[in-house]
Structure formats: C-alpha cells, structure tokens
Amino acid sequence: MNSEEIARLANVSRATVSRVMNGHPNVSEKTRKKIEKIIREHNYFPDTSARSLAGVNSRFIGLFIIDFTSEHGEYTVSRSTFFYEFVGYAIDVANKYRYNLVTTIIHRDNIDDIDRLFQSHSIAGGIILGDLLDQKTLAHISASGYPIVLCHQIRYSPSPNIVTVNLDNFRCGRMAGEELVRHGHKKIAHITGEARRMAVQDRLDGFVSALTASGISYNQEKYVFFGEFYRRKSAYEGVKALLERCRDDLPTAMFITSSMLQVGALNAIREAGLSVPEDISIIGMGELDAEIYTTPPLSEVFLGCEKFAAAAVSRLLESIENPSPQIRNHIISEWRLISRGSIQKL
C-alpha cells in the first residue's frame, strides 16, 4: 500500500492525500475523513525516511493521557494534580530541546487519535500515560514503528521503537510499610487506585513485603481499598465504608497512594470523629508534594513529578534521534522519605 493506491481508493489526487497526511487545512472535511478512514482500514504508515528526505521533520511530540474511567466533557487533567503537573514539566523539558508538546486525552472511543496524529506527521514521537492499554493496542503500537515511551504500561520493551519509563513502585511501597512498622503499627489500611494498574500492584506488593519481613500477617481483604486514583470522592466513600466495617477493630495507620485519595481519606476520617495522627497515623506517597494539599501535612514517600516527566520526555527525544536505543527500559528509584509528624509511635 502506498499513497498512490490510497488516492485511487479515495478517488482523489495523490497531492490531496499528501495534504491530508501532512495536516494541511486546504482539504474539505468530507474528503479528509474519507482519506483518513481508508488509511486506518489499510493500516498505512508512510515511509519516514522519504519524509526526512523531503525535509518534513516534526518538532512536535505527543502526550497521550489514557482515561477510561471518565466521559468526554469531564476535565481529566484539571481534576488531577498529578496530570497537570506532569504536563507542565513535560512542556518545559520539550521546549528546552526546541520541541513542542501536544496533549491529547484518550477515551475508549477515540483511541484511533494515536494513529491519526502519527499518520498525519503531526508528531515525531509520543508518551503514553494513565490507564492501561489492552494487549491488542500495545501490539499494534509496537508493530507500527512509532517512537513511543510507555509510562507504567509494561515492564519491558517489546521492540526497538518502544521505551519504558517506570517508577520503582515496589520500593516505594516497601519504604512506606517499613516506616509504619518502625513506629509500631501492625493494623494498617492501604488506600490505593484501580487494581488493574501495574503501579498499584507493585506498591501493594512492596508494602506487604515490608510487613511480612517484620513477621506481621496482613489481611488484604480487610484492610485494602481499591478506589480511583484521581477522584477524592472515591477515597472518601471507601475510607468511610472501611472505618464502618472495622469499627470494632480500627486500623492504627493508613498508607495512601495519591494526593487526591489523601484528601478524600482525611475528610472521611474527620467525619468519623477521628484525628490524625492521634487516632490514625498516615503516610502518603506520590510525585507531588502532599504538604501543600493536606491538613495536617502528611509524611510521605516522595519522588517529584518533575523527575518523572523529565525522564519520559528525555528518553523519547533520545529515541527519536536514535531509533534503536541500546537501553530501552528505565526505572526511576530515587524515592525519599519525608517525615512531617503524621505518624504516631505506638
């Protein structure tokens, strides 16, 4: 399949196909949609070396935020302190290297936008962040040859065009568990995000390993709540139900894994007539500084969203410049413990 065959199927000139592929505006919307539909159906990917010879080199990169839990019209980025901080830092790093960042929210019904932006030559590479993509979509991206950085999607790159950037979430969970155990806590609730996420499972595994290493038997069914990472209402309702369920045997501490969940959990704790840390100690975690979002300021295992965003953008730009990087899997392990007094020693 080539652009001439695409033109023949669409009953247009080859020049019209070229204009659509290069994002030029002087094509009718009806014609554009017809050509894009044929391109998708035939899985057509232009020859990037030919584009380079023609002098068409994009200085734009894409950031695809995968959000399968909300509907169109909901403010995915603005409701999440993590997303808008990540976007801000990613823009800064891209601009430093004279690239511009295009941010797109991907719901289940517009997942083809990833292909569309690449096929139109709008972007030179992309970062995928957020909800887990299914194996079929990941396989397609891998086979396409697009320069892609996957954040918290898979552990190991399946092809030369894919680079992974992941946080060492197991270490984060273990550090949080060890800190609570050091203060004498054994009955610890874990408030976290969707169970399907790789990061969620890694944090839970690290957390449980810290308790197990100290001889503490952990009841996951009783003390773990899987909510939605970026909705404070999720943690509020979950912690409220947990406290009611365990009212005769309350946890003495909680490990909470996002800023939004921390705010919701604190509201539920106060509403139950309990206080932090006198009744329930809390340690948080995240790529944001919880000190400015919660009262009281929480102890936390902290990395910094800036480092995560910088690593993702830098690795993508390296992949664009060198299509077959020698190192394709990157783990960021620079978590540090910040103590602010929200943990009471038993």
Side-chain angles (χ1 to χ4, degrees):
M1 178 64 66
N2 56 39
S3 61
E4 188 174 352
E5 292 172 304
I6 295 290
R8 179 176 55 79
L9 290 171
N11 196 26
V12 299
S13 69
R14 190 173 178 181
T16 300
V17 173
S18 178
R19 285 196 292 272
V20 171
M21 295 300 295
N22 288 286
H24 292 301
N26 56 337
V27 180
S28 72
E29 187 63 21
K30 182 179 179 181
T31 300
R32 182 183 302 280
K33 287 183 177 179
K34 179 168 68 172
I35 293 172
E36 288 177 346
K37 183 173 184 291
I38 293 170
I39 287 170
R40 287 195 300 271
E41 288 174 347
H42 290 81
N43 200 26
Y44 171 59
F45 302 101
D47 186 345
T48 54
S49 62
R51 286 184 58 231
S52 180
L53 289 172
V56 183
N57 292 302
S58 175
R59 300 299 294 183
F60 287 83
I61 57 174
L63 171 60
F64 300 100
I65 298 176
I66 313 299
D67 184 0
F68 292 152
T69 62
S70 66
E71 303 294 333
H72 281 295
E74 289 193 52
Y75 299 106
T76 302
V77 173
S78 60
R79 80 160 189 255
S80 161
T81 51
F82 167 72
F83 282 144
Y84 69 66
E85 292 242 354
F86 189 99
V87 170
Y89 285 125
I91 290 172
D92 285 343
V93 177
N95 288 170
K96 177 182 176 182
Y97 294 100
R98 298 183 180 276
Y99 276 82
N100 296 294
L101 189 78
V102 177
T103 304
T104 302
I105 310 299
I106 300 296
H107 299 282
R108 294 190 186 279
D109 61 354
N110 72 322
I111 200 163
D112 288 342
D113 282 358
I114 299 174
D115 271 343
R116 180 180 60 79
L117 280 171
F118 274 104
Q119 291 177 354
S120 67
H121 309 322
S122 299
I123 57 175
I127 298 166
I128 293 179
L129 177 73
D131 272 322
L132 279 181
L133 293 174
D134 59 64
Q135 292 300 310
K136 180 180 178 181
T137 303
L138 287 172
H140 170 70
I141 289 171
S142 178
S144 70
Y146 303 149
I148 289 284
V149 166
L150 297 178
C151 297
H152 288 167
Q153 292 286 327
I154 54 178
R155 300 185 195 282
Y156 303 106
S157 166
S159 61
N161 60 298
I162 301 292
V163 171
T164 68
V165 174
N166 296 313
L167 302 179
D168 189 346
N169 286 291
F170 181 91
R171 181 168 183 262
C172 164
R174 189 172 180 100
M175 288 175 69
E178 288 172 346
E179 179 68 1
L180 292 174
V181 169
R182 259 196 305 272
H183 283 78
H185 294 277
K186 296 181 179 180
K187 296 186 293 183
I188 307 169
H190 182 41
I191 314 303
T192 188
E194 298 88 342
R196 64 179 179 273
R197 293 178 184 263
M198 185 177 78
V200 167
Q201 290 299 328
D202 285 352
R203 290 167 190 171
L204 176 59
D205 288 346
F207 171 67
V208 173
S209 76
L211 274 60
T212 302
S214 298
I216 299 172
S217 177
Y218 191 65
N219 187 336
Q220 294 190 42
E221 184 175 343
K222 180 178 182 180
Y223 284 132
V224 176
F225 169 73
F226 296 103
E228 294 180 50
F229 255 138
Y230 306 113
R231 294 177 185 268
R232 70 178 67 179
K233 185 178 179 182
S234 167
Y236 167 77
E237 293 175 346
V239 171
K240 186 177 179 180
L242 186 148
L243 293 175
E244 176 62 26
R245 183 174 70 245
C246 303
R247 61 182 180 273
D248 296 327
D249 188 26
L250 288 175
T252 62
M254 291 185 180
F255 169 36
I256 310 175
T257 61
S258 86
S259 297
M260 288 294 97
L261 293 179
Q262 288 160 17
V263 173
L266 285 170
N267 289 340
I269 289 169
R270 292 193 195 98
E271 191 175 285
L274 303 171
S275 60
V276 176
E278 291 78 12
D279 298 304
I280 296 180
S281 295
I282 292 182
I283 188 168
M285 70 135 293
E287 302 80 35
L288 302 171
D289 192 341
E291 182 177 21
I292 64 175
Y293 294 107
T294 61
T295 302
L298 302 184
S299 297
E300 64 179 336
V301 182
F302 179 71
L303 172 70
C305 192
E306 180 179 3
K307 291 183 178 180
F308 194 17
V313 174
S314 298
R315 298 294 84 78
L316 176 61
L317 298 184
E318 288 173 5
S319 183
I320 291 169
E321 299 298 327
N322 174 19
S324 299
Q326 288 186 332
I327 301 175
R328 303 205 305 266
N329 304 298
H330 302 268
I331 298 178
I332 307 173
S333 301
E334 301 169 40
W335 295 104
R336 59 192 175 95
L337 182 67
I338 302 176
S339 179
R340 299 195 179 97
S342 62
I343 304 175
Q344 180 167 270
K345 190 170 184 64
L346 295 185

